[in-house]
Amino acid sequence: MDTKHTRIAICADSENPKDDVASRFARCEFYGVYNHKSLSFNFEENKAKNEMSGAGAKAAKQIYDLGVTAVLVPEIGPKAFEALEAFEIEVYRYSQTYSVRDAIYDYYEKKLQRVLASTKTGKHA
Amino acid sequence: MKIAILSGKGGTGKTTLSVNLFSCLKQGTLIDTDTEEPNSHIFIKPTNEVITNIYKNHPVVNKDLCSFCGKCGEYCNFNAIIPTKTKVLVFEDFCHDCGLCEMVCPNNAITYKTKVIGEVFSSHLENKSFHYGKLKIGEVSGVRVINKLNEISKEDGLVLVDCPPGVSCSTVEALRGSDYAIVCAEPTPFGVSDMTMVVELLREENIEFGVVVNKSGIGNNQIYEYLEEENIELLENIPWTKERAALYSTGNLIADKDPIFNEKMEHILQKVLGDNYDQ
């Protein structure tokens, strides 16, 4: 099992790990933070979700402040990716709709691909 | 007196109306504030244009002076500057050039860099002036360019404003200080839907307005029912004809070649300007 990251964030639209993962990174409702040491989930409201602009970079900052070093995303824009990279947060991508818990399992089974460049065009590019 | 011509939906005839109304005036100014896609100049055909650059500043961080205190990011309202673990990211597009990050930086690590974001083209012919703005490709907001157009025309007696479509910041800036607005709408469901947003905006800004239905004969009657329900003045109804579309598509002023259309333009000006309209 990969134990490099103590805290892993994942995009969620509810506060229940049994519910589906979110389909957007910067404008999802919550970030689920899985703590590898305590084996527990914590959900934090996404403070960037209603920003007019720059939600991606702001979300990256929030995730960093939560002590997270890896994040699981559905897709990622260029500015958000640049910010996550600068915060030295690793990005992994899920490409199906399943529960938050299942996505975390997939991460530990190394089924999620590491993202090394933004996966979509930004709104302002 | 400043009169704004706007529509909500694009392609309803704002420019057609603006340039043809302008052509009926003996004196006055026209500003084309659709900086993302200006096209009044295609019809006005200005000569001897004077070009003015429009600038915007954005912060640049000196890495050697930065202590990564994070203050710039805390104070920025637009997420334009994000201090991270390894560097301070600056997103120029989001920056509103407010100067706050430079002020709060305790290490004087932030300076401002200037860049050209657009141009204003000015021309004069006898008693008439025409100015239009053009945003550089890739720039996100034409507000500064429009602000310049407003500034250079503010002393002029009569100003017509060809507004951008929609009801975004650009349109609000173009409307600033208007005494009256002519809403140019087309009688289609989209035309009506987008016009209702403009009506809402004008009512909020307390600007008196009337509606010109352009391209009548297409679509349906929904627009007339709406105007009646909302008690909005119908200034003029301009039927769509193939000849008018052909004149427009070749960069001609319809009022020059179509007497009925010309009469309609004069009728609008009489209604809007009253005694101030000098034929």
Side-chain angles (χ1 to χ4, degrees):
Chain A
M1 207 177 207
D2 179 8
T3 54
K4 189 165 70 171
H5 305 288
T6 304
R7 288 193 185 84
I8 298 154
I10 180 162
C11 307
D13 283 330
S14 79
E15 295 179 86
N16 189 339
K18 288 178 187 161
D19 287 346
D20 283 350
V21 289
S23 58
R24 292 186 298 177
F25 166 66
R27 299 193 188 275
C28 65
E29 296 293 325
F30 298 93
Y31 292 110
V33 180
Y34 180 72
N35 190 315
H36 179 74
K37 288 204 172 124
S38 64
L39 307 177
S40 64
F41 271 105
N42 237 335
F43 284 83
E44 299 284 339
E45 196 179 343
N46 174 7
K47 291 182 204 157
K49 67 183 177 199
N50 295 321
E51 290 292 305
M52 294 281 281
S53 67
K58 188 176 176 177
K61 167 89 167 68
Q62 184 184 357
I63 288 169
Y64 171 75
D65 289 341
L66 290 169
V68 166
T69 49
V71 61
L72 316 187
V73 304
E75 56 178 33
I76 194 91
K79 293 191 171 87
F81 186 77
E82 193 187 343
L84 287 169
E85 212 175 24
F87 281 116
E88 296 179 333
I89 296 169
E90 288 180 13
V91 183
Y92 295 85
R93 188 181 191 188
Y94 50 81
S95 47
Q96 54 177 308
T97 303
Y98 50 4
S99 74
V100 163
R101 184 169 278 151
D102 285 343
I104 293 282
Y105 288 157
D106 263 10
Y107 164 76
Y108 282 112
E109 285 173 21
K110 298 195 186 305
K111 283 182 185 164
L112 300 186
Q113 209 184 344
R114 172 104 186 252
V115 179
L116 297 166
S118 72
T119 61
K120 63 193 267 282
T121 326
K123 300 275 185 300
H124 301 270
Chain B
M1 190 175 191
K2 182 176 172 182
I3 296 160
I5 294 131
L6 72 173
S7 70
K9 184 183 174 297
T12 64
K14 286 180 298 299
T15 297
T16 305
L17 200 55
S18 300
V19 297
N20 283 286
L21 288 173
F22 184 60
S23 78
C24 293
L25 296 173
K26 286 206 178 101
Q27 50 189 354
T29 301
L30 172 66
I31 58 175
D32 184 352
T33 61
D34 187 3
T35 60
E36 286 175 37
E37 196 72 83
N39 54 3
S40 283
H41 61 281
I42 295 168
F43 302 91
I44 306 287
K45 301 177 175 61
T47 50
N48 298 323
E49 286 179 315
V50 177
I51 303 172
T52 312
N53 280 334
I54 307 298
Y55 300 94
K56 192 187 138 188
N57 305 309
H58 59 85
V60 178
V61 183
N62 183 336
K63 258 195 202 161
D64 300 333
L65 296 176
C66 178
S67 64
F68 290 88
C69 70
K71 276 215 167 112
C72 52
E74 265 169 51
Y75 280 87
C76 180
N77 268 315
F78 309 102
N79 300 318
I81 187 159
I82 307 267
T84 71
K85 200 175 169 183
T86 53
K87 57 183 169 185
V88 179
L89 298 174
V90 174
F91 299 107
E92 292 171 23
D93 292 353
F94 300 153
C95 177
H96 286 222
D97 191 5
C98 72
L100 197 54
C101 56
E102 186 182 14
M103 273 169 67
V104 300
C105 178
N107 306 307
N108 294 321
I110 296 174
T111 49
Y112 270 68
K113 195 179 158 193
T114 300
K115 65 170 174 174
V116 177
I117 59 154
E119 292 166 316
V120 163
F121 300 76
S122 298
S123 58
H124 305 274
L125 190 67
E126 289 164 13
N127 293 323
K128 293 164 94 171
S129 302
F130 170 60
H131 312 278
Y132 72 99
K134 202 172 180 178
L135 196 62
K136 289 247 184 259
I137 290 171
E139 287 302 327
V140 291
S141 170
V143 170
R144 269 159 198 268
V145 181
I146 299 168
N147 183 274
K148 181 73 180 175
L149 290 165
N150 282 337
E151 195 187 296
I152 55 182
S153 60
K154 71 175 180 222
E155 306 290 334
D156 298 1
L158 174 61
V159 182
L160 299 183
V161 188
D162 185 2
C163 290
V167 285
S168 64
C169 299
S170 302
T171 307
V172 174
E173 181 61 30
L175 265 183
R176 196 185 297 275
S178 292
D179 301 287
Y180 189 85
I182 300 171
V183 179
C184 182
E186 63 172 39
T188 62
F190 276 135
V192 177
S193 171
D194 287 2
M195 182 181 72
T196 57
M197 294 192 293
V198 168
V199 167
E200 218 175 288
L201 170 65
L202 291 168
R203 284 181 174 159
E204 205 177 297
E205 299 277 323
N206 263 321
I207 297 169
E208 209 188 311
F209 64 96
V211 168
V212 171
V213 174
N214 188 29
K215 299 193 267 186
S216 73
I218 68 166
N220 56 30
N221 283 330
Q222 203 188 326
I223 194 164
Y224 303 104
E225 288 160 17
Y226 173 79
L227 295 180
E228 216 164 283
E229 270 168 36
E230 292 287 324
N231 204 12
I232 297 168
E233 185 181 9
L234 176 64
L235 294 168
E236 190 51 91
N237 194 53
I238 305 170
W240 184 88
T241 71
K242 198 176 174 179
E243 291 72 26
R244 285 172 189 158
L247 284 168
Y248 170 85
S249 72
T250 47
N252 282 293
L253 288 167
I254 304 171
D256 280 353
K257 317 233 164 153
D258 181 335
I260 297 171
F261 187 90
N262 187 55
E263 228 169 79
K264 286 179 183 288
M265 293 301 110
E266 287 183 345
H267 182 226
I268 295 168
L269 288 168
Q270 274 158 8
K271 269 193 167 173
V272 173
L273 299 174
D275 295 339
N276 292 324
Y277 179 46
D278 172 26
Q279 283 183 53

